[in-house]
Amino acid sequence: MRNKLLIASILGGLIASGYALTFSAPVANAGGLKNAKIYPKNTNKKAIKKDMKALSKALGVKCDYCHTMKALDKDSEMKEKARDMMRMMKAANKTLKAQGFEKSITCKTCHNGQKIPKY
Ligand code: HEC
Ligand code: HEC
């Protein structure tokens, strides 16, 4: 059931807006994350990597913009900024949903391939 929800949320997001972060859709029996403050700790590694690829593309960066590649769980200043953005986005999408809007925002909505959004 949860797997189905995750797939539905990924596909829904892909169709609606390029991609969807899978913040609140953990997959049972997954490998588990070592240092997750936003994603549920039991998030499937494949699912988070898919999200990470999408958000890297949205910002026009490679993984090492935020990560030490030898230890992806290690924190960095940029990772903390990204977490703040995830919190902001999650809150905005919750508000949109509560107000009856169908679409949600993603990193790409604002960043559109830029590290710092250009308006
Ligand atoms: C803009 C910053 C940013 C970029 C770029 C990025 N990540 Fe992340 N990544 C994060 C943040 C923030 C977290 C922690 C999420 C949390 O706290 O729940 C994370 C967590 C992870 C984790 C989980 C680590 C653990 O066990 O706790 C993996 C694996 C990962 N990223 C892989 C990647 C890969 C692979 C790429 C490139 C394709 C990438 N990331 C690009 C910000 C980034
Ligand atoms: C509502 C618009 C919006 C959304 C959605 C958004 N961002 Fe941002 N982001 C910004 C703005 C604006 C800044 C510049 C903030 C500043 O430094 O003044 C920024 C800055 C950042 C930075 C710091 C860049 C740097 O070099 O200092 C990171 C990292 C980042 N965003 C990651 C993300 C990620 C990852 C997502 C998706 C989870 C995301 N953002 C979603 C608007 C947004």
Side-chain angles (χ1 to χ4, degrees), residues 32-39 45 48-49 52-53 55-56 59 61-63 65-67 69 72-73 78-79 82-83 86:
L33 306 181
K34 284 192 202 154
N35 182 21
K37 294 179 185 160
I38 308 286
Y39 285 77
K45 278 210 172 131
I48 198 173
K49 283 200 174 158
M52 288 291 144
K53 277 187 190 156
L55 69 80
S56 301
L59 269 70
V61 298
K62 300 274 182 223
C63 314
Y65 189 60
C66 299
H67 289 286
M69 293 316 287
L72 292 165
D73 58 307
M78 203 51 82
K79 225 174 136 180
R83 281 198 179 108
M86 290 170 178

Side-chain angles (χ1 to χ4, degrees), residues 7-64:
I7 289 160
S9 101
I10 291 173
L11 289 180
L14 282 172
I15 292 159
S17 51
Y19 86 103
L21 292 171
T22 52
F23 291 136
S24 52
V27 176
N29 303 320
L33 306 181
K34 284 192 202 154
N35 182 21
K37 294 179 185 160
I38 308 286
Y39 285 77
K41 290 222 187 297
N42 62 340
T43 301
N44 181 297
K45 278 210 172 131
K46 266 192 186 164
I48 198 173
K49 283 200 174 158
K50 202 171 175 180
D51 272 12
M52 288 291 144
K53 277 187 190 156
L55 69 80
S56 301
K57 202 175 164 202
L59 269 70
V61 298
K62 300 274 182 223
C63 314
D64 65 3

